[in-house]
Amino acid sequence: IIDGDNGVSLQDCMEISRAVEHQLDREEFDFSLEVSSAGATAPLDLPRQYHKHLGRILEVKTEALEVKGTLESVGAHEIVLSWKAREPKPIGKGKHTVRKEEVIPFSEIEKAKVVLKF
């Protein structure tokens, strides 16, 4: 499975497949080789993968929280997610919508993936 900062094309998959296949001897090894791109819902494992998902909704899990929000920014050591939540009004009855924001260090992220909209 391959990934790239600017996406992965079919041509990229073909070139890598051919390069690997030419390094292996079919007479010596019986093998099957499949080269594909990471799926749209594949977990984000490396900090560099977050940049291409700015503005998209992510589900992020840490030991302390699980949050779904829009990826607002990516720093050197953390990401910033924002979302809207309904909370009780500070004074009076009822609820109002508030904008929440969470700064999450890469070191605390256990799992992160893009949420697809249909």
Side-chain angles (χ1 to χ4, degrees):
I1 296 175
I2 59 175
D3 190 16
D5 293 336
N6 298 318
V8 175
S9 69
L10 178 59
Q11 186 66 35
D12 295 332
C13 291
M14 289 174 18
E15 288 173 6
I16 290 173
S17 176
R18 288 180 184 140
V20 171
E21 196 169 323
H22 289 317
Q23 299 299 315
L24 301 173
D25 183 2
R26 278 223 180 261
E27 292 181 18
E28 187 176 332
F29 301 104
D30 184 25
F31 65 90
S32 173
L33 176 64
E34 292 180 24
V35 178
S36 64
S37 63
T41 59
L44 305 176
D45 296 320
L46 303 171
R48 68 168 184 76
Q49 293 175 307
Y50 289 81
H51 292 280
K52 64 183 173 184
H53 296 292
L54 280 168
R56 291 191 173 153
I57 297 173
L58 300 184
E59 278 183 4
V60 177
K61 181 180 182 213
T62 68
E63 188 175 314
L65 84 130
E66 243 179 272
V67 65
K68 185 191 305 188
T70 302
L71 181 59
E72 297 293 339
S73 66
V74 180
H77 304 287
E78 77 285 321
I79 62 171
V80 177
L81 292 182
S82 71
W83 65 96
K84 292 180 182 176
R86 298 282 292 164
E87 293 187 349
K89 290 182 179 179
I91 300 173
K93 295 182 180 181
K95 293 185 175 189
H96 67 294
T97 302
V98 294
R99 184 177 181 273
K100 298 262 200 174
E101 189 172 278
E102 186 77 33
V103 177
I104 306 171
F106 287 121
S107 60
E108 293 180 15
I109 297 174
E110 292 177 355
K111 184 176 181 182
K113 66 179 186 173
V114 177
V115 176
L116 297 179
K117 287 185 180 180
F118 293 101

